[in-house]
Short mmCIF file of all heavy atoms in Angstrom, two decimals:
data_model
loop_
_atom_site.label_atom_id
_atom_site.label_comp_id
_atom_site.label_asym_id
_atom_site.label_seq_id
_atom_site.Cartn_x
_atom_site.Cartn_y
_atom_site.Cartn_z
N VAL A 28 -157.82 -43.27 -121.83
CA VAL A 28 -158.20 -41.88 -121.56
C VAL A 28 -157.99 -41.57 -120.07
O VAL A 28 -157.47 -40.50 -119.72
CB VAL A 28 -159.66 -41.63 -121.99
CG1 VAL A 28 -160.16 -40.29 -121.46
CG2 VAL A 28 -159.79 -41.67 -123.50
N LEU A 29 -158.37 -42.51 -119.20
CA LEU A 29 -158.16 -42.30 -117.77
C LEU A 29 -156.67 -42.19 -117.44
O LEU A 29 -156.29 -41.38 -116.59
CB LEU A 29 -158.79 -43.43 -116.96
CG LEU A 29 -160.31 -43.37 -116.81
CD1 LEU A 29 -160.81 -44.63 -116.11
CD2 LEU A 29 -160.72 -42.14 -116.05
N CYS A 30 -155.85 -42.98 -118.09
CA CYS A 30 -154.41 -42.90 -117.85
C CYS A 30 -153.84 -41.56 -118.29
O CYS A 30 -153.00 -40.97 -117.59
CB CYS A 30 -153.70 -44.05 -118.58
SG CYS A 30 -153.95 -45.64 -117.79
N VAL A 31 -154.27 -41.04 -119.44
CA VAL A 31 -153.80 -39.74 -119.92
C VAL A 31 -154.27 -38.64 -118.96
O VAL A 31 -153.52 -37.73 -118.61
CB VAL A 31 -154.29 -39.48 -121.37
CG1 VAL A 31 -154.04 -38.04 -121.79
CG2 VAL A 31 -153.60 -40.44 -122.33
N PHE A 32 -155.54 -38.72 -118.52
CA PHE A 32 -156.06 -37.76 -117.56
C PHE A 32 -155.26 -37.80 -116.26
O PHE A 32 -154.90 -36.76 -115.70
CB PHE A 32 -157.55 -38.05 -117.29
CG PHE A 32 -158.18 -37.11 -116.32
CD1 PHE A 32 -158.41 -35.77 -116.64
CD2 PHE A 32 -158.53 -37.53 -115.05
CE1 PHE A 32 -158.98 -34.90 -115.74
CE2 PHE A 32 -159.09 -36.67 -114.13
CZ PHE A 32 -159.32 -35.35 -114.48
N ASP A 33 -154.96 -38.99 -115.78
CA ASP A 33 -154.17 -39.16 -114.57
C ASP A 33 -152.76 -38.59 -114.75
O ASP A 33 -152.20 -37.99 -113.84
CB ASP A 33 -154.10 -40.64 -114.19
CG ASP A 33 -153.38 -40.86 -112.87
OD1 ASP A 33 -153.70 -40.14 -111.91
OD2 ASP A 33 -152.49 -41.73 -112.83
N LEU A 34 -152.20 -38.75 -115.92
CA LEU A 34 -150.87 -38.21 -116.21
C LEU A 34 -150.89 -36.68 -116.12
O LEU A 34 -149.99 -36.08 -115.53
CB LEU A 34 -150.42 -38.67 -117.60
CG LEU A 34 -149.00 -38.32 -118.01
CD1 LEU A 34 -148.01 -39.03 -117.09
CD2 LEU A 34 -148.76 -38.72 -119.45
N PHE A 35 -151.93 -36.03 -116.68
CA PHE A 35 -152.04 -34.58 -116.60
C PHE A 35 -152.22 -34.12 -115.14
O PHE A 35 -151.63 -33.12 -114.72
CB PHE A 35 -153.20 -34.06 -117.46
CG PHE A 35 -152.87 -34.02 -118.92
CD1 PHE A 35 -153.66 -34.71 -119.83
CD2 PHE A 35 -151.79 -33.31 -119.40
CE1 PHE A 35 -153.37 -34.68 -121.18
CE2 PHE A 35 -151.48 -33.28 -120.75
CZ PHE A 35 -152.28 -33.96 -121.64
N LEU A 36 -153.02 -34.84 -114.38
CA LEU A 36 -153.19 -34.51 -112.97
C LEU A 36 -151.87 -34.64 -112.21
O LEU A 36 -151.55 -33.81 -111.36
CB LEU A 36 -154.24 -35.41 -112.33
CG LEU A 36 -155.70 -35.06 -112.62
CD1 LEU A 36 -156.61 -36.08 -111.96
CD2 LEU A 36 -156.02 -33.67 -112.12
N THR A 37 -151.11 -35.67 -112.52
CA THR A 37 -149.82 -35.88 -111.86
C THR A 37 -148.87 -34.73 -112.17
O THR A 37 -148.19 -34.21 -111.27
CB THR A 37 -149.21 -37.22 -112.28
OG1 THR A 37 -150.12 -38.27 -111.98
CG2 THR A 37 -147.88 -37.47 -111.58
N PHE A 38 -148.82 -34.28 -113.41
CA PHE A 38 -147.98 -33.15 -113.78
C PHE A 38 -148.42 -31.86 -113.06
O PHE A 38 -147.59 -31.07 -112.61
CB PHE A 38 -147.96 -32.92 -115.29
CG PHE A 38 -147.13 -33.93 -116.04
CD1 PHE A 38 -147.58 -34.45 -117.24
CD2 PHE A 38 -145.90 -34.35 -115.57
CE1 PHE A 38 -146.82 -35.38 -117.94
CE2 PHE A 38 -145.14 -35.26 -116.26
CZ PHE A 38 -145.60 -35.79 -117.45
N ALA A 39 -149.73 -31.66 -112.94
CA ALA A 39 -150.24 -30.48 -112.25
C ALA A 39 -149.84 -30.52 -110.77
O ALA A 39 -149.44 -29.51 -110.19
CB ALA A 39 -151.75 -30.38 -112.40
N VAL A 40 -149.95 -31.68 -110.14
CA VAL A 40 -149.58 -31.82 -108.74
C VAL A 40 -148.09 -31.60 -108.55
O VAL A 40 -147.65 -30.92 -107.62
CB VAL A 40 -150.02 -33.20 -108.19
CG1 VAL A 40 -149.39 -33.47 -106.84
CG2 VAL A 40 -151.53 -33.27 -108.10
N LEU A 41 -147.28 -32.13 -109.44
CA LEU A 41 -145.83 -31.93 -109.35
C LEU A 41 -145.45 -30.46 -109.50
O LEU A 41 -144.58 -29.95 -108.78
CB LEU A 41 -145.10 -32.78 -110.39
CG LEU A 41 -145.06 -34.28 -110.12
CD1 LEU A 41 -144.45 -35.01 -111.32
CD2 LEU A 41 -144.28 -34.58 -108.87
N ARG A 42 -146.12 -29.77 -110.42
CA ARG A 42 -145.84 -28.35 -110.60
C ARG A 42 -146.20 -27.57 -109.33
O ARG A 42 -145.46 -26.72 -108.86
CB ARG A 42 -146.62 -27.80 -111.80
CG ARG A 42 -146.25 -26.35 -112.09
CD ARG A 42 -147.07 -25.76 -113.17
NE ARG A 42 -148.43 -25.68 -112.62
CZ ARG A 42 -149.52 -25.44 -113.33
NH1 ARG A 42 -149.44 -25.28 -114.61
NH2 ARG A 42 -150.69 -25.37 -112.76
N ARG A 43 -147.35 -27.89 -108.74
CA ARG A 43 -147.78 -27.22 -107.52
C ARG A 43 -146.83 -27.52 -106.36
O ARG A 43 -146.51 -26.65 -105.55
CB ARG A 43 -149.20 -27.67 -107.16
CG ARG A 43 -149.76 -27.07 -105.91
CD ARG A 43 -149.90 -25.56 -106.01
NE ARG A 43 -150.92 -25.20 -106.94
CZ ARG A 43 -152.07 -24.65 -106.63
NH1 ARG A 43 -152.33 -24.38 -105.38
NH2 ARG A 43 -152.93 -24.34 -107.56
N LEU A 44 -146.34 -28.75 -106.28
CA LEU A 44 -145.38 -29.11 -105.23
C LEU A 44 -144.08 -28.31 -105.37
O LEU A 44 -143.50 -27.87 -104.38
CB LEU A 44 -145.08 -30.60 -105.26
CG LEU A 44 -146.12 -31.50 -104.59
CD1 LEU A 44 -145.79 -32.96 -104.85
CD2 LEU A 44 -146.20 -31.23 -103.12
N ARG A 45 -143.63 -28.12 -106.60
CA ARG A 45 -142.43 -27.32 -106.82
C ARG A 45 -142.63 -25.88 -106.37
O ARG A 45 -141.77 -25.29 -105.74
CB ARG A 45 -142.03 -27.35 -108.31
CG ARG A 45 -140.98 -28.38 -108.60
CD ARG A 45 -140.44 -28.24 -110.01
NE ARG A 45 -140.86 -29.44 -110.71
CZ ARG A 45 -141.61 -29.49 -111.80
NH1 ARG A 45 -142.00 -28.39 -112.38
NH2 ARG A 45 -141.96 -30.62 -112.33
N GLU A 46 -143.80 -25.31 -106.70
CA GLU A 46 -144.09 -23.94 -106.27
C GLU A 46 -144.15 -23.85 -104.75
O GLU A 46 -143.58 -22.92 -104.16
CB GLU A 46 -145.43 -23.48 -106.85
CG GLU A 46 -145.42 -23.28 -108.34
CD GLU A 46 -146.82 -23.04 -108.89
OE1 GLU A 46 -147.79 -23.01 -108.09
OE2 GLU A 46 -146.94 -22.89 -110.11
N ASN A 47 -144.82 -24.79 -104.12
CA ASN A 47 -144.94 -24.76 -102.66
C ASN A 47 -143.60 -25.01 -101.97
O ASN A 47 -143.34 -24.44 -100.92
CB ASN A 47 -145.97 -25.79 -102.19
CG ASN A 47 -147.39 -25.37 -102.51
OD1 ASN A 47 -147.63 -24.22 -102.83
ND2 ASN A 47 -148.32 -26.30 -102.43
N THR A 48 -142.78 -25.86 -102.55
CA THR A 48 -141.46 -26.12 -101.97
C THR A 48 -140.61 -24.85 -102.00
O THR A 48 -139.93 -24.53 -101.02
CB THR A 48 -140.75 -27.25 -102.73
OG1 THR A 48 -141.56 -28.43 -102.65
CG2 THR A 48 -139.38 -27.54 -102.15
N ALA A 49 -140.68 -24.12 -103.10
CA ALA A 49 -139.93 -22.86 -103.19
C ALA A 49 -140.43 -21.87 -102.13
O ALA A 49 -139.64 -21.18 -101.48
CB ALA A 49 -140.05 -22.26 -104.58
N GLU A 50 -141.75 -21.81 -101.95
CA GLU A 50 -142.31 -20.90 -100.94
C GLU A 50 -141.92 -21.34 -99.53
O GLU A 50 -141.57 -20.51 -98.68
CB GLU A 50 -143.84 -20.85 -101.08
CG GLU A 50 -144.52 -19.94 -100.11
CD GLU A 50 -144.21 -18.47 -100.34
OE1 GLU A 50 -143.68 -18.10 -101.40
OE2 GLU A 50 -144.50 -17.68 -99.42
N LEU A 51 -141.97 -22.64 -99.26
CA LEU A 51 -141.57 -23.14 -97.94
C LEU A 51 -140.09 -22.88 -97.67
O LEU A 51 -139.71 -22.55 -96.55
CB LEU A 51 -141.88 -24.62 -97.81
CG LEU A 51 -143.36 -24.97 -97.65
CD1 LEU A 51 -143.55 -26.48 -97.70
CD2 LEU A 51 -143.89 -24.42 -96.35
N ASP A 52 -139.25 -23.05 -98.69
CA ASP A 52 -137.83 -22.75 -98.53
C ASP A 52 -137.61 -21.28 -98.19
O ASP A 52 -136.78 -20.93 -97.36
CB ASP A 52 -137.05 -23.11 -99.79
CG ASP A 52 -136.92 -24.62 -99.99
OD1 ASP A 52 -137.15 -25.36 -99.02
OD2 ASP A 52 -136.60 -25.03 -101.11
#
């Protein structure tokens, strides 16, 4: 369960990084 939760958090962080990268560009 912790691994699945961590996987969802990782996907959320990656999505946010993509949004921020586009804004920084």
Side-chain angles (χ1 to χ4, degrees):
V28 168
L29 283 174
C30 287
V31 169
F32 180 70
D33 185 47
L34 186 64
F35 283 123
L36 282 178
T37 302
F38 285 139
V40 168
L41 287 173
R42 185 185 67 193
R43 179 63 69 111
L44 280 173
R45 264 189 246 121
E46 291 171 1
N47 287 346
T48 301
E50 180 68 14
L51 287 173
D52 288 344

